[in-house]
Amino acid sequence: MEEFDDNFFSESDLTDLVNRFEQMVKDGSSSYYEVDDLESLLDHFIVHHHLDLAFKVVETVHSQHPNNHQLSIREAELLSLAEKHSEALELLSSVETLENSNPDFHITKASILSQTGHYDKAIRSLHQALKCSSDEPDVIYMNLAIEHQNLEQYDQAIGFLQKALESNPENEDALYELAYCYELTKSYSSAVIFFKKIIDKHPYNSHAWFNLGAAYQALGEFEKALTAFDYVIVINEEFHAAYFNKANVLVRLERHGEAIDLYKKALAFEILDSLIYFYIGDCYDHINEPKSALVYFEKAIRKDDTMAEAWIGASSSMDELGREIEALEYANKALKIEPTNGDYYCFLAGLQMKYDLLIDSAASFEKAIENDYIEEDLWEDYSQLALTLKNNDLIGELVHKGLEHYPDNNLLMLYQCIYRYSIGKDEEAFEKLVELLIQEPALIEEFVLYYPKAVESKDVQFLIQSLNQKH
């Protein structure tokens, strides 16, 4: 829809005009206004969303200039803003003959049709707008792209967004809509080709460089992504998202120290503070600096105490620093925020298991499973707990379920051997044990740890001696 400019008058003149009109409405008096004055008032009240006053302006237009249709398009927009879409379309229909060559007429009509879900009709109106002379074809192309997105016709949307950028390479909204469509369609290679074309013609377009970097990032071409983000920063050192994305790429390359420096630069722009604090904490965690990690996790929590992952990060750091009680408290706080997060229950279970709170740990593992957490680490760790508790029934159940999900997991197969030994199926257990230890001899230490009685078996003793001689 047409963007209105309420700066036709000087700021002081417009202020005087607005004050005079508002006083007239307040007093219930009447005063004559020229059409241009009413146009400026209507634009002003629409832009500032003062719809009641905007309708008062429309009443004044109708009473003082009943045969003037100059403001009909603006009145239609006002009706649309008030969700009177049918009235808006009826009004436009009544002036269509007069306004058919006006691109704003068709753009406004398309906007109203889109709001009522008539996307195909909106597209037809926008094509009519293109046939009229327009100083901003990129705006119409972008509106066409949005209507095709509404219809989930992303390839067509991409085509119109490309036309918008060919018409106006500085249209930032079109650049980001195009990047979004490429992301939706996973057309990252096409994104690279197009954004490089834009850059060839406009090498100082920082937004094109940024989107090129994002496309390389999605393709896993991290070094090229870093180069693109570097160009963004050289062109515009205030481009905060470039620092953030470059830091994310450095994390993927496991260059956590460099990432920390970039995240700290991004913090200077006061954007996404809590998330960036969390990411810095996570980087410090990866380079084994739990004290620094905890500082930033707690900063993230102070910025946003509903960030469950920050509570978990802080809990992990406290665990590494030997602050057991606080580690448990923080993990539980995360679960109060996200009570159905199975990953967090598994994390809590691991802490409880480490602190010999074995019954609590088993309960947390069960909550993790109840909340659909079925990752490999759960079956391994919970099976270890069951072995520690010498709960044969639970061991049997866990290794059975775990191997259903991860049939090639040697550790779970080893625990299954221990289970079979514990229920008297020695021959079956030994046969599988030989097969496993040939594949992965180091598992013998785990086997003896959780089933020390095994060394009493001559077959097992011979197997261990054979493995030791080979290694």
Side-chain angles (χ1 to χ4, degrees):
M1 204 174 290
E2 182 184 5
E3 291 186 7
F4 299 134
D5 181 3
D6 61 2
N7 295 315
F8 181 80
F9 292 89
S10 69
E11 187 174 343
S12 61
D13 288 344
L14 180 60
T15 300
D16 290 343
L17 183 63
V18 169
N19 290 339
R20 183 160 68 91
F21 186 84
E22 290 180 347
Q23 190 62 46
M24 182 193 77
V25 172
K26 184 178 179 181
D27 296 343
S29 57
S30 62
S31 181
Y32 180 80
Y33 292 87
E34 296 291 344
V35 172
D36 287 345
D37 289 347
L38 292 167
E39 182 177 359
S40 293
L41 284 166
L42 187 54
D43 289 354
H44 174 84
F45 291 133
I46 287 176
V47 165
H48 294 89
H49 214 72
H50 297 154
L51 301 192
D52 290 343
L53 287 167
F55 276 113
K56 288 291 184 182
V57 174
V58 169
E59 289 177 16
T60 306
V61 172
H62 290 167
S63 63
Q64 296 183 3
H65 307 279
N67 298 316
N68 190 307
H69 300 289
Q70 185 176 331
L71 301 183
S72 296
I73 296 174
R74 286 166 168 77
E75 183 181 348
E77 184 193 2
L78 176 60
L79 288 166
S80 175
L81 287 171
E83 299 187 359
K84 298 179 179 181
H85 302 111
S86 297
E87 292 179 44
L89 290 171
E90 285 176 16
L91 175 58
L92 290 176
S93 180
S94 71
V95 297
E96 185 164 3
T97 304
L98 296 170
E99 299 287 353
N100 197 43
S101 61
N102 183 348
D104 292 335
F105 169 85
H106 298 290
I107 293 170
T108 301
K109 183 178 179 180
S111 177
I112 297 167
L113 288 166
S114 179
Q115 289 173 53
T116 57
H118 295 97
Y119 306 125
D120 288 318
K121 291 181 179 179
I123 288 169
R124 288 197 288 273
S125 287
L126 289 168
H127 279 293
Q128 284 296 116
L130 279 175
K131 292 178 182 178
C132 306
S133 61
S134 174
D135 295 330
E136 296 180 326
D138 59 307
V139 174
I140 300 175
Y141 286 132
M142 186 163 170
N143 287 342
L144 277 163
I146 290 169
E147 299 309 330
H148 282 291
Q149 285 183 61
N150 288 333
L151 292 168
E152 298 184 0
Q153 297 170 347
Y154 298 110
D155 289 337
Q156 292 94 320
I158 286 170
F160 282 113
L161 288 165
Q162 288 175 340
K163 287 183 177 181
L165 289 165
E166 287 164 5
S167 171
N168 177 13
E170 300 302 320
N171 188 325
E172 294 176 14
D173 291 336
L175 274 167
Y176 287 103
E177 281 297 324
L178 181 58
Y180 173 68
C181 286
Y182 279 135
E183 184 177 356
L184 281 176
T185 56
K186 308 297 181 189
S187 305
Y188 301 117
S189 297
S190 298
V192 167
I193 293 168
F194 184 79
F195 289 125
K196 285 176 79 173
K197 283 181 181 178
I198 293 286
I199 290 165
D200 286 342
K201 294 179 182 178
H202 305 275
Y204 296 103
N205 188 320
S206 58
H207 296 280
W209 276 110
F210 178 79
N211 285 313
L212 176 64
Y216 278 133
Q217 187 176 354
L219 288 168
E221 297 187 42
F222 297 128
E223 293 298 339
K224 290 181 179 179
L226 290 177
T227 300
F229 293 135
D230 280 338
Y231 275 112
V232 177
I233 294 166
V234 168
I235 295 165
N236 178 7
E237 62 182 14
E238 299 296 312
F239 202 124
H240 61 83
Y243 294 98
F244 182 74
N245 276 38
K246 183 181 176 183
N248 290 343
V249 172
L250 289 168
V251 167
R252 293 293 300 272
L253 293 170
E254 297 189 1
R255 291 159 60 179
H256 295 97
E258 294 172 73
I260 289 169
D261 292 338
L262 266 295
Y263 282 134
K264 286 180 178 178
K265 286 180 180 178
L267 278 174
F269 300 99
E270 298 183 354
I271 303 293
L272 301 174
D273 285 2
S274 58
L275 186 62
I276 294 175
Y277 282 134
F278 170 76
Y279 284 168
I280 294 173
D282 196 49
C283 285
Y284 276 121
D285 181 60
H286 276 86
I287 60 176
N288 298 314
E289 294 189 24
K291 287 184 179 179
S292 296
L294 181 57
V295 167
Y296 280 92
F297 286 136
E298 292 197 315
K299 284 185 177 184
I301 290 167
R302 283 195 293 274
K303 281 285 182 180
D304 179 8
D305 63 3
T306 66
M307 184 185 282
E309 57 193 344
W311 288 101
I312 289 291
S315 173
S316 177
S317 297
M318 287 172 171
D319 170 52
E320 290 186 56
L321 294 168
R323 294 162 61 176
E324 297 180 5
I325 294 174
E326 291 166 289
L328 291 169
E329 287 177 353
Y330 274 50
N332 278 301
K333 283 181 180 177
L335 281 163
K336 284 182 180 178
I337 297 166
E338 294 186 20
T340 60
N341 191 315
D343 189 3
Y344 294 169
Y345 278 112
C346 192
F347 173 80
L348 175 61
L351 290 181
Q352 292 165 328
M353 188 173 169
K354 181 178 178 180
Y355 304 155
D356 288 328
L357 303 170
L358 303 186
I359 302 304
D360 290 341
S361 178
S364 294
F365 278 126
E366 288 295 331
K367 289 292 288 185
I369 295 170
E370 183 184 315
N371 286 284
D372 301 319
Y373 187 83
I374 53 171
E375 298 300 315
E376 227 167 346
D377 62 327
L378 178 137
W379 303 111
E380 292 175 353
D381 294 346
Y382 196 7
S383 295
Q384 289 172 8
L385 176 62
L387 287 165
T388 301
L389 293 170
K390 296 183 171 49
N391 187 330
N392 287 340
D393 290 340
L394 182 58
I395 295 166
E397 179 185 342
L398 290 172
V399 294
H400 175 73
K401 287 182 179 178
L403 287 169
E404 281 183 346
H405 294 290
Y406 304 98
D408 298 323
N409 186 303
N410 284 347
L411 193 57
L412 289 175
M413 284 190 269
L414 180 75
Y415 296 154
Q416 189 177 56
C417 289
I418 295 172
Y419 168 68
R420 286 171 176 165
Y421 270 117
S422 68
I423 61 173
K425 293 186 177 182
D426 293 18
E427 187 176 334
E428 188 178 329
F430 183 73
E431 184 180 328
K432 186 63 180 177
L433 182 65
V434 171
E435 184 182 320
L436 278 173
L437 294 180
I438 289 172
Q439 290 180 46
E440 196 173 340
L443 286 174
I444 191 63
E445 294 180 13
E446 189 86 4
F447 179 70
V448 173
L449 174 66
Y450 287 106
Y451 195 64
K453 285 176 62 178
V455 294
E456 298 173 7
S457 164
K458 290 184 180 180
D459 288 338
V460 173
Q461 289 174 8
F462 179 75
L463 177 60
I464 293 172
Q465 289 172 3
S466 299
L467 288 169
N468 288 334
Q469 286 172 4
K470 288 182 180 180
H471 299 280

